[in-house]
């Protein structure tokens, strides 16, 4: 890897992104018959918005202004011209040293990508591990992969300040628990990338004039995605706890049904998976075992290591696993974690099962092509079934076959 590879990869990415952009472009919606007004829009009444001086009345409105990368209040950070996931792809030269603040999905993905291009990457987070929302064992696999690719993990520390001198940035950090927990330090970087979450875009929208309430988490909505003003709905990153493109799409569908067709769809009924696109990927839907334990929900867990999946062995990808969290004593799926190179492609089957109320036992009867890594799902179902073979069941089988003979 090197600057030539990096520049070519970034140029290709920008070219492909430009080709995809028209899918959400104004021209497409105009062609579909939508009246498009480009400009700064804000509410001026409970039933009207204004776009650059033009007043538009509405029967229903949807706030879908999204979110932006969050910049934490770290001394000197804003003056250091930090990169975010929205600006990093404009780079044309590979930074020799990159500091990434935030070990969530975006931080891990970009840290690994830049390390593979040849940057000396340090990943910093106040959390004691990477991917704090995900299964602990899954995060451990990703951490090992990051370190193999050359990423330095600096976890459990707080970034206190960032200082810029010319083209160099200095990131000063200290242990999270203060003076007694270890030694503070500094690291030098050519670029600093911030990936600590997203802030909803609620400023300048005139929400007060519309009677729409909002806070740090964004626009406040009920389970049907209505605001306090029953004419106005909100969907996506501006109001949702799920800062995910596919979750925003699902919420937009709920808004259309509820706002235009008197539907009664609920956001709480959504079963939302997510995927971190590291190598290997981590895909998650529903609860992890830690989530269930924290909520006091009795559960069983079935784990299938990919070392037991023939296709994973053939692919040389045996460090991953599938873990399914089940309701205690039954087969209702509470959640699932999948760690593999293409975990995002397989999590959909488990998401469908959860949404349709299909238990893991039903998946045991689903024929999966051999050899595929998705066969891990069938193996998990078979493993759960074998757990049903209690001593009493064994005695019943023995009596049955004795009579049969």
């Amino acid at each position: 890897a090197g600057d030539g590879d990096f520049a070519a990869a970034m140029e290709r990415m920008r070219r492909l992104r430009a080709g995809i952009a028209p899918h959400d472009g104004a021209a497409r919606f105009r062609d579909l018959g939508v009246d498009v007004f480009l400009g700064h829009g804000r509410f001026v009444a409970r039933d009207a918005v204004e776009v650059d001086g033009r007043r538009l009345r509405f029967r229903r409105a949807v706030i879908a202004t999204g979110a932006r990368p969050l910049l934490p209040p770290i001394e000197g950070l804003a003056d250091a011209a930090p990169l975010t996931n929205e600006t990093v792809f404009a780079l044309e030269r590979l930074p020799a040293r990159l500091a990434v603040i935030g070990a969530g999905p975006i931080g891990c993905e970009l840290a690994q990508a830049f390390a593979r291009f040849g940057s000396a990457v340090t990943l910093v987070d106040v959390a004691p591990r990477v991917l704090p929302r995900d299964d602990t064992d899954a995060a451990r696999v990703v951490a090992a992969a990051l370190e193999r690719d050359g990423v330095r993990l600096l976890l459990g520390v707080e970034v206190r300040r960032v200082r810029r001198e010319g083209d160099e940035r200095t990131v000063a950090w200290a242990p999270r628990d203060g003076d007694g927990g270890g030694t503070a330090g500094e690291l030098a970087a050519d670029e600093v990338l911030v990936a600590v979450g997203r802030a909803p875009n609620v400023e300048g929208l005139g929400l007060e004039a519309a009677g729409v309430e909002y806070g740090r988490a964004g626009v406040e909505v009920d389970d049907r995605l209505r605001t306090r003003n029953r004419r106005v709905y909100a969907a996506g990153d501006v109001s949702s706890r799920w800062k995910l493109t596919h979750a925003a799409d699902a919420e937009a569908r709920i808004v259309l049904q509820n706002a235009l067709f008197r539907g009664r769809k609920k956001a709480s009924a959504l079963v939302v998976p997510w995927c971190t696109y590291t190598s290997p990927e981590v895909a998650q839907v529903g609860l992890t075992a830690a989530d269930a334990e924290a909520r006091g929900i009795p559960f069983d867990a079935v784990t299938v290591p990919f070392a037991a999946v023939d296709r994973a062995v053939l692919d040389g990808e045996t460090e991953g696993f599938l873990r399914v969290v089940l309701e205690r004593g039954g087969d209702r799926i509470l959640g699932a974690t999948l760690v593999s190179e293409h975990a995002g492609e397989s999590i959909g089957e488990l998401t469908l099962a959860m949404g349709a109320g299909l238990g893991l036992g039903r998946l045991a009867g689903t024929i999966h092509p051999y050899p595929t890594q998705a066969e891990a799902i069938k193996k998990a179902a078979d493993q759960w079934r074998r757990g049903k073979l209690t001593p009493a069941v064994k005695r019943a089988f023995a009596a049955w076959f004795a009579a049969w003979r």
Side-chain angles (χ1 to χ4, degrees):
D3 272 2
D5 295 330
F6 179 79
M10 297 296 270
E11 187 282 326
R12 176 181 181 274
M13 181 280 306
R14 288 189 288 266
R15 173 166 43 83
L16 296 178
R17 184 176 62 182
I20 295 171
H23 297 173
D24 293 324
R28 173 172 176 258
F29 292 105
R30 284 198 188 100
D31 292 343
L32 291 171
V34 177
D35 294 327
V36 178
F37 297 85
L38 297 177
H40 178 71
R42 63 186 181 90
F43 290 98
V44 292
R46 294 181 66 87
D47 65 348
V49 297
E50 188 178 272
V51 182
D52 288 348
R54 182 166 184 174
R55 189 182 181 98
L56 304 171
R57 293 196 62 197
F58 60 80
R59 291 186 62 185
R60 297 288 186 272
V62 182
I63 303 169
T65 50
R68 63 189 181 278
L70 178 66
L71 288 184
I74 296 172
E75 179 186 339
L77 178 61
D79 296 331
L83 298 168
T84 69
N85 67 302
E86 292 182 353
T87 61
V88 68
F89 299 107
L91 288 178
E92 296 182 352
R93 290 184 59 84
L94 179 71
R97 300 165 299 176
L98 177 68
V100 180
I101 302 175
I106 292 175
C108 288
E109 290 166 358
L110 290 173
Q112 186 178 49
F114 274 82
R116 288 185 168 189
F117 274 115
S119 288
V121 180
T122 302
L123 183 59
V124 187
D125 202 296
V126 70
R129 65 177 175 91
V130 303
L131 302 179
R133 287 179 58 200
D134 286 284
D135 178 275
T136 302
D137 292 332
R140 190 176 296 117
V141 173
V142 171
L146 292 172
E147 291 183 316
R148 278 199 306 270
D149 285 330
V151 177
R152 176 193 178 198
L153 299 181
L154 194 56
L155 304 172
V157 302
E158 292 179 325
V159 176
R160 296 293 175 85
R161 62 187 170 276
V162 178
R163 185 174 66 255
R164 180 177 181 178
E165 296 177 359
D167 292 333
E168 184 173 276
R169 283 84 168 166
T170 301
V171 178
W173 53 270
R176 179 179 55 177
D177 56 350
D179 296 336
T183 306
E186 293 185 344
L187 64 97
D190 301 294
E191 296 283 358
V192 175
L193 171 68
V194 179
V196 296
R198 299 182 65 78
N201 293 321
V202 295
E203 299 84 359
L205 300 181
L207 298 178
E208 296 83 358
V212 172
E213 297 190 6
Y214 63 95
R216 290 182 59 187
V219 172
E220 296 178 5
V221 294
D222 64 15
D223 204 15
R224 294 189 172 88
L225 302 184
R226 297 174 300 190
T227 68
R228 288 294 182 92
N229 180 346
R230 293 304 180 93
R231 294 174 178 264
V232 180
Y233 293 71
D237 288 8
V238 73
S239 58
S240 177
R241 70 186 180 95
W242 303 106
K243 300 295 189 280
L244 302 165
T245 300
H246 51 278
D249 177 86
E251 290 186 350
R253 295 166 190 261
I254 289 176
V255 167
L256 288 174
Q257 293 175 78
N258 291 350
L260 301 182
F261 301 104
R262 299 180 183 271
R264 300 183 64 81
K265 297 292 184 179
K266 295 183 178 182
S268 61
L270 294 175
V271 179
V272 181
W274 70 87
C275 185
T276 298
Y277 298 99
T278 46
S279 176
E281 296 177 356
V282 176
Q284 176 70 40
V285 63
L287 303 179
T288 64
D291 293 333
E293 188 171 356
R295 298 184 190 187
I297 300 173
F299 70 94
D300 296 316
V302 176
T303 301
V304 176
F306 272 90
V309 179
D310 291 356
R311 177 59 183 268
V313 173
L314 294 172
D315 291 339
E317 299 167 2
T318 57
E319 64 181 350
F321 63 88
L322 167 65
R323 177 166 294 147
V324 184
V325 179
L326 302 166
E327 189 175 56
R328 173 70 56 81
D331 73 336
R332 185 168 76 91
I333 302 171
L334 302 177
T337 301
L338 191 56
V339 183
S340 73
E341 285 299 326
H342 303 286
E345 303 292 345
S346 300
I347 199 68
E349 182 177 347
L350 291 157
T351 305
L352 173 63
M354 288 182 64
L358 301 177
L360 191 59
R362 290 287 297 275
L363 296 184
T366 301
I367 300 174
H368 292 74
Y370 176 90
T372 59
Q373 293 196 17
E375 197 184 12
I377 298 171
K378 182 178 177 62
K379 286 183 175 291
D382 288 342
Q383 183 175 320
W384 172 81
R385 275 190 167 176
R386 285 194 296 272
K388 300 284 100 180
L389 194 61
T390 63
V393 173
K394 288 182 180 179
R395 287 194 297 271
F397 273 129
W400 168 263
F401 287 115
W404 185 77
R405 285 198 301 269

